Amino acid sequence: MGYVFAPAPAVAVPVVGSDDRFPVRRIYCVGRNYEAHAREMGHDPDREPPFFFAKPADAVVYVAPGETGAFHYPSLSKNVHYEMELVAAIGKGGKDIAAEHALDHVYGYALGLDMTRRDLQAESKKLGRPWDTAKGFDGSAPLGPIHPASEVGHISEGAIWLTVNDEEKQRSDVSQLIWSIPETIAYLSTLFELQPGDLIFTGTPEGVGAIANGDVMKGGVAGIGEFSVRVV
Ligand code: MN
C-alpha cells in the first residue's frame, strides 16, 4: 500500500569522514545546565534535577563547515536569542541507562544552536504554558556535522564559545556542565527510551543574547571545530 501523499524526507546530517549520514529521530534539549547561565536567567544555581524540552527533528538546519549557514528570523518575535551548545548524538538506544555505561550509547558529537524566541518563552513562563513556540519553531536548530566519538573521543571538557559579528558573547568550558553528558543520558533515559538518531542539546553557557538581521554567529567547541550562521 502506498501513502496518500509522499512522506516527508528523513532528516539527516553528514558524518565527518564518511559518505554516510546520521538520520535524526528526536531532539531533546536540557534547560539551564551551566550554573552561570541559570543565574543570568534568574534561577538559583543549586543543583536541581535536569529538565528537558524538545524540538521537532525537522527544526534542524544543516550548517556545513567552512560555509555560512542561514537562520531565518522568525516572524512574530522581537527578541530572539542564540544559545551555543554541544550536541550528543545517540547511536545505540536504551532505557534506564546507567551513567557509567551512558557513553557507550553516544555515536558522536556536533555543534548546535538552540535558537530561542525569548519573548515568547518569557510569556509562556509567566502564563505557565508550554515552550514549544519559543523553542521548537522552524529552523530553530542549526546543526553542524556529526563527529564520531571513534574519531574525536568523548567530550567532557574543552572550550565552548560563540561570537556575534566577531565580538565574543559566550565562553565557558564543557567541564562546567551541571549535569555531565553521561548523567544527562542516564536521567533522560528514565523518561524516554532513547533510540539511535536522537540528539541531545546539552545546554548553553552564560552570555545568551539577542540577534538581529544580518548578524553572523560563529560558534565552536574544542575538538569539533566551529561553524557560522548568518541571520537573514
Ligand atoms: Mn538551550
Side-chain angles (χ1 to χ4, degrees):
M1 254 198 291
Y3 296 101
V4 294
F5 49 81
V11 176
V13 293
V15 172
V16 175
S18 164
D19 291 333
D20 291 331
R21 292 178 299 158
F22 182 94
V24 177
R25 191 185 82 113
R26 291 184 182 174
I27 304 175
Y28 298 107
C29 305
V30 190
R32 295 195 287 268
N33 204 19
Y34 287 84
E35 241 182 71
H37 173 61
R39 228 179 275 119
E40 78 181 348
M41 296 304 289
H43 290 269
D44 188 330
D46 275 0
R47 205 178 194 233
E48 53 183 21
F51 72 93
F52 299 92
F53 56 90
K55 293 175 187 269
D58 65 1
V60 164
V61 178
Y62 175 61
V63 181
E67 293 175 18
T68 301
F71 171 75
H72 294 268
Y73 200 101
S75 57
L76 211 67
S77 278
K78 299 264 185 300
N79 188 16
V80 177
H81 279 200
Y82 52 79
E83 294 192 358
M84 183 63 206
E85 309 206 2
L86 170 62
V87 178
I90 299 295
K92 187 177 115 187
K95 57 180 175 182
D96 302 328
I97 297 166
E100 57 265 40
H101 300 130
L103 292 180
D104 299 344
H105 295 260
V106 176
Y107 176 82
Y109 297 90
L111 305 171
L113 277 165
D114 168 15
M115 297 304 295
T116 302
R117 285 160 146 165
R118 199 68 78 199
D119 44 3
L120 298 192
Q121 187 194 30
E123 190 170 310
S124 296
K125 285 179 177 176
K126 202 168 65 193
L127 298 172
R129 289 181 179 164
W131 288 6
D132 301 53
T133 56
K135 288 290 199 177
F137 59 95
D138 294 342
S140 60
L143 185 75
I146 310 291
H147 295 258
S150 58
E151 299 294 321
V152 300
H154 287 288
I155 300 175
S156 59
E157 58 179 8
I160 177 169
W161 55 270
L162 179 128
T163 63
V164 177
N165 306 331
D166 293 324
E167 187 185 324
E168 188 167 287
K169 299 292 187 182
Q170 295 190 281
R171 177 167 291 277
S172 185
D173 194 285
V174 174
S175 63
Q176 298 301 303
L177 280 170
I178 295 172
W179 294 91
S180 70
I181 290 174
E183 289 170 335
T184 297
I185 290 169
Y187 200 96
L188 181 60
S189 74
T190 66
L191 297 166
F192 300 96
E193 181 169 355
L194 299 181
Q195 297 289 353
D198 290 344
L199 298 177
I200 304 172
F201 278 61
T202 59
T204 197
E206 65 275 22
V208 299
I211 39 88
N213 227 306
D215 284 350
V216 176
M217 303 174 278
K218 192 181 286 182
V221 173
I224 57 170
E226 60 180 50
F227 69 178
S228 291
V229 179
R230 185 189 308 273
V231 182
V232 295

